[in-house]
Amino acid sequence: MVSFTDSKPIYLQIADRICDDIMIGTYGEGERIPSVREYAQLIEVSANTVARTFEYLQNQGIIYNRRGVGLFVEEHAAAAIKHMRHKAFIDTELEPFMRKAAMLDIAEDELLEAYRQQLRALQAQQRDDG
């Protein structure tokens, strides 16, 4: 069973999970994804919640319905997801971070160096994992 948080509606948490799966290649562009019922059984939630998730993802241009065949991942869905998440990060996470950094008098060059160190560490971890 998948666990959910209270901070965000369940259908959006499921959408995030499906988007993650698209980004890592579990569901490739142009490939069929599980039906509403299949996915609901897989993650143990109601079919209505999954239907709402799939409707949301269709409205976002991430998946599309081939009537009588099933739901499929849109071409360029991974790029669309990356763009949506990039915008959401800038809009919701970067501004409070920068406000706090300014409040603590953290210099721009210090932030840039910390960013570069974190990026190098992530890249090293990815090399070790992959």
Side-chain angles (χ1 to χ4, degrees):
M1 180 175 195
V2 177
S3 61
F4 298 102
T5 67
D6 291 334
S7 63
K8 189 179 206 179
I10 291 174
Y11 83 96
L12 291 177
Q13 293 177 61
I14 297 169
D16 286 343
R17 177 184 166 151
I18 292 170
C19 287
D20 289 347
D21 286 344
I22 292 169
M23 295 287 292
I24 63 173
T26 302
Y27 303 124
E29 295 177 350
E31 289 183 9
R32 185 181 177 280
I33 64 170
S35 70
V36 168
R37 287 178 197 245
E38 291 168 339
Y39 204 79
Q41 288 176 341
L42 178 71
I43 63 170
E44 300 179 12
V45 299
S46 83
N48 289 338
T49 302
V50 174
R52 187 170 182 195
T53 299
F54 285 179
E55 180 182 343
Y56 169 79
L57 291 172
Q58 286 180 71
N59 291 338
Q60 298 300 312
I62 305 301
I63 62 174
Y64 65 97
N65 187 8
R66 281 194 209 155
R67 193 164 294 291
V69 181
L71 292 158
F72 292 79
V73 177
E74 286 278 5
E75 297 297 321
H76 310 292
I81 293 164
K82 187 174 183 179
H83 176 75
M84 283 181 357
R85 289 181 171 182
H86 179 105
K87 184 176 179 347
F89 175 79
I90 297 294
D91 292 348
T92 62
E93 295 186 41
L94 190 58
E95 192 273 330
F97 170 84
M98 294 303 294
R99 187 176 342 105
K100 192 169 192 174
M103 192 170 57
L104 296 170
D105 293 325
I106 300 174
E108 181 180 337
D109 59 336
E110 189 178 354
L111 284 173
L112 188 56
E113 182 55 34
Y115 170 78
R116 288 181 178 146
Q117 287 177 358
Q118 289 293 318
L119 189 58
R120 283 192 295 269
L122 284 171
Q123 290 168 338
Q125 182 181 6
Q126 288 173 343
R127 280 192 305 273
D128 293 343
D129 292 344

